[in-house]
Amino acid sequence: MSQLTELPTELLIKIFDDLDLRNLLHCKPMELALCGMEDGPPGSMVPAERLECLREHQDAWGHLRFTQTSNIDMQSGNVWELYGNVLSQGKNRRSLAFHQLASVIRGIEDRSWSLDDLDVEIRDFGMDPAQNLLVLIESLVPNNGRSYSIHLRTLSTGESHPAAPKPAVLTYTPNFRCSSFTIQTSAELLGIIFHSMDGMDNELIIWNWKTTEIELAVSGDPVKAFAFLTDHHILLAKLVTYSATLAVVDLQTSHAELTPCEDLQVECEFYLPELLTRNIVVDILLRLDPGPNWTPNPDLKVPFHIARGDRLFVVTVSLFSPGDQHLRAYTLFIPSTTIFKHMDMYSGDIEWEQWGPAGSRLIYPTPSISRVWVCYVYGMGFTFLLRSQMHEQRQTLYMFDFNQLAIRKSMQEKANIDEPQTSESWNLMTDDSVIDAGASVFNDSIKTSLPFRFRIHDIAPDPDGRAVAAMLSEDSIILVCDATSVRRYRILTF
């Protein structure tokens, strides 16, 4: 099947046109691949019903046609998380509320539950619904100490996770007091960045949470963000002079001793475009969702779900120009296939010109990307909000799709004007994006050409206030309405 998916899209379309229904059903995995999906566990649906369900799902996404709209009130606990179609919030310092986002098309029910009085003063938390895993960070001396307990609980009951050792608690003491945490999971791996109060030093620790063994420990100011790339690789975002890099680290060759970032052994390092010397990189944000090889909880029995293959990395670089006192940012979209391809070709430093122009898409100035509501990417999709230029009270929702198989299919349909057009809802972007040298940011002219497609949708005015951000899950777009008069999540479900 993997060899079949490598055929040009135009040949696949011709093959499908000549098949009868029985053979088309045998080719269902091909249609799943074109949609960036894979088959779910056995359930009540027969193959023909699953195929029809898949097409309905893709049609709803392609036209941003919502099957229902609902609201979830914001809680007062000041912590939140969105992962695997579950939205969670802190009710107070010791309690969490959870909401499983529904899907009419995929048969996921709307469900809410709470974990009250967890006997932990929650500084922050992460979760993985597929593993029924809840990760709670607690300061051992609230508001003053440097030692933290990381509690491994179940999402369903709040009890100690049965797959974790007893006691189901990790303990770590960074070399500073923390301002915040970045928490990521991937199967048995748990990674946490401890961000320092002064912003001058961070520590990234990765555990095998099922054994409590440390797989990687790295420290230093360059450590800003990370994401899991494979079951034993991470992508580490680092700051360097006049630029930033994405370093591939093999956890199989790393060790548990805390290592300065400059001494860390890396498999290869992808350099981002070099900035004008008057600009200073102040921060870098790296996001993808969900993690590699992630699948939903089998209890949901979904007919299909996002494939475990390609993922979209969204990198936002913030920079400061002392001369004009301006804070600027650019955003880079990178499919994981770009990383894998060049990992196989090169080792050591990989300059921007070797991988970036054809393997990514750079947007400057950056879209309205929130640094708080950061769940704006899912699979190969990305969403953001802008104020409508035509209507002051309206907002415009943008959806980007970087699924290259689907894009090639759309390009072929557009070229074959005599064939039925099935992707009319998407706008194709195949022209180069060019940022001229010296345009306040880069040292050289920057050209990127990775194709993508996009959809634009006007959001009707909300009498209770405008949304401040948009987030993305597998079946929903979540508008964050965080105004003085109303604080809630508006769920637009497909």
Side-chain angles (χ1 to χ4, degrees):
M1 185 59 64
S2 60
Q3 293 177 342
L4 187 58
T5 59
E6 293 172 3
L7 289 173
T9 303
E10 57 270 22
L11 292 183
L12 295 176
I13 294 172
K14 293 296 184 185
I15 292 171
F16 291 155
D17 282 343
D18 291 332
L19 295 179
D20 57 24
L21 178 60
R22 181 185 298 274
N23 286 316
L24 273 174
L25 293 179
H26 286 303
C27 287
K28 179 166 62 73
M30 271 305 311
E31 189 153 349
L32 284 163
L34 287 171
C35 298
M37 299 285 180
E38 65 179 69
D39 215 0
S44 59
M45 286 187 180
V46 300
E49 291 174 324
R50 290 187 177 222
L51 188 59
E52 181 60 30
C53 182
L54 174 69
R55 289 170 176 166
E56 183 181 358
H57 188 270
Q58 292 301 297
D59 182 69
W61 269 111
H63 293 82
L64 295 183
R65 184 182 297 120
F66 310 114
T67 59
Q68 65 181 38
T69 301
S70 58
N71 293 316
I72 299 175
D73 291 336
M74 282 191 188
Q75 302 288 333
S76 57
N78 297 321
V79 289
W80 67 275
E81 183 62 273
L82 172 66
Y83 195 74
N85 256 19
V86 174
L87 174 65
S88 180
Q89 309 177 67
K91 296 171 64 176
N92 52 54
R93 298 292 292 180
R94 288 175 170 262
S95 302
L96 296 172
F98 301 88
H99 199 107
Q100 178 178 281
L101 304 181
S103 171
V104 174
I105 296 175
R106 291 202 302 151
I108 301 174
E109 66 176 3
D110 185 286
R111 187 167 68 90
S112 299
W113 73 100
S114 295
L115 298 179
D116 296 319
D117 196 10
L118 287 160
D119 196 30
V120 170
E121 290 285 330
I122 303 170
R123 280 288 307 273
D124 205 346
F125 75 98
M127 62 181 182
D128 183 356
Q131 301 185 86
N132 194 22
L133 175 64
L134 175 64
V135 179
L136 305 173
I137 298 182
E138 177 187 31
S139 176
L140 293 182
V141 182
N143 303 320
N144 191 32
R146 292 192 295 112
S147 294
Y148 297 90
S149 289
I150 298 102
H151 301 261
L152 307 171
R153 306 286 185 89
T154 63
L155 205 63
S156 54
T157 68
E159 298 175 350
S160 295
H161 200 289
K166 297 180 180 180
V169 181
L170 307 171
T171 302
Y172 186 70
T173 304
N175 293 308
F176 43 76
R177 291 177 60 197
C178 291
S179 62
S180 61
F181 310 87
T182 299
I183 307 168
Q184 302 285 341
T185 62
S186 180
E188 71 277 4
L189 297 176
L190 166 64
I192 301 177
I193 293 184
F194 297 83
H195 297 274
S196 66
M197 284 283 191
D198 60 13
M200 298 300 293
D201 204 12
N202 299 317
E203 294 179 10
L204 167 61
I205 312 299
I206 296 180
W207 290 268
N208 181 319
W209 64 268
K210 294 184 178 180
T211 67
T212 73
E213 292 182 358
I214 293 179
E215 303 286 339
L216 172 73
V218 58
S219 66
D221 180 55
V223 177
K224 295 299 183 183
F226 84 103
F228 288 104
L229 181 62
T230 71
D231 58 359
H232 62 91
H233 288 94
I234 67 164
L235 201 59
L236 179 63
K238 300 165 53 181
L239 302 188
V240 297
T241 305
Y242 306 127
S243 187
T245 69
L246 301 174
V248 177
V249 182
D250 188 345
L251 300 179
Q252 295 178 334
T253 62
S254 61
H255 48 78
E257 293 78 22
L258 191 63
T259 303
C261 187
E262 57 269 21
D263 297 332
L264 181 67
Q265 179 180 347
V266 302
E267 189 165 314
C268 56
E269 195 154 2
F270 293 79
Y271 275 73
L272 274 57
E274 187 172 326
L275 302 173
L276 290 170
T277 55
R278 66 171 179 261
N279 292 318
I280 302 170
V281 179
V282 294
D283 201 9
I284 182 169
L285 187 63
L286 171 62
R287 296 293 304 178
L288 94 161
D289 198 17
N293 298 318
W294 187 88
T295 59
N297 193 309
D299 292 343
L300 293 177
K301 293 184 169 56
V302 292
F304 51 86
H305 56 80
I306 186 171
R308 285 170 283 185
D310 209 1
R311 290 289 184 270
L312 179 67
F313 291 96
V314 180
V315 182
T316 301
V317 178
S318 300
L319 49 116
F320 180 70
S321 299
D324 56 17
Q325 298 292 298
H326 281 177
L327 188 66
R328 298 180 171 89
Y330 71 84
T331 298
L332 193 59
F333 301 92
I334 312 168
S336 56
T337 49
T338 293
I339 304 295
F340 295 139
K341 173 184 175 181
H342 291 84
M343 281 172 58
D344 292 339
M345 295 172 58
Y346 305 104
S347 61
D349 294 346
I350 305 176
E351 298 299 329
W352 164 256
E353 291 77 13
Q354 295 175 272
W355 71 274
S360 69
R361 177 70 69 160
L362 189 147
I363 295 180
Y364 173 79
T366 193
S368 303
I369 293 180
S370 172
R371 300 196 67 81
V372 176
W373 311 105
V374 293
C375 297
Y376 39 68
V377 56
Y378 195 90
M380 299 301 290
F382 168 79
T383 191
F384 67 98
L385 274 176
L386 284 181
R387 178 174 295 182
S388 175
Q389 296 180 355
M390 301 297 295
H391 304 280
E392 178 65 22
Q393 297 304 315
R394 284 183 174 267
Q395 290 176 286
T396 303
L397 181 75
Y398 285 77
M399 173 67 71
F400 286 9
D401 178 26
F402 284 85
N403 177 358
Q404 295 302 297
L405 275 177
I407 291 164
R408 293 212 308 267
K409 180 174 181 288
S410 295
M411 292 169 64
Q412 183 61 33
E413 289 172 349
K414 184 178 179 179
N416 296 336
I417 58 175
D418 294 333
E419 296 185 4
Q421 302 293 295
T422 61
S423 300
E424 69 280 1
S425 60
W426 290 101
N427 301 284
L428 288 171
M429 181 61 179
T430 57
D431 294 339
D432 295 342
S433 296
V434 180
I435 302 171
D436 293 333
S440 304
V441 180
F442 299 109
N443 196 41
D444 299 309
S445 177
I446 302 298
K447 179 176 73 172
T448 53
S449 58
L450 182 73
F452 68 97
R453 56 183 187 168
F454 65 96
R455 181 80 167 111
I456 303 173
H457 181 79
D458 272 351
I459 301 295
D462 189 326
D464 293 323
R466 304 171 66 89
V468 298
M471 302 192 294
L472 189 60
S473 72
E474 191 154 357
D475 299 292
S476 307
I477 292 173
I478 300 96
L479 301 181
V480 182
C481 304
D482 190 8
T484 304
S485 58
V486 61
R487 301 183 73 241
R488 70 185 184 198
Y489 301 96
R490 186 179 175 194
I491 315 298
L492 310 178
T493 303
F494 297 99

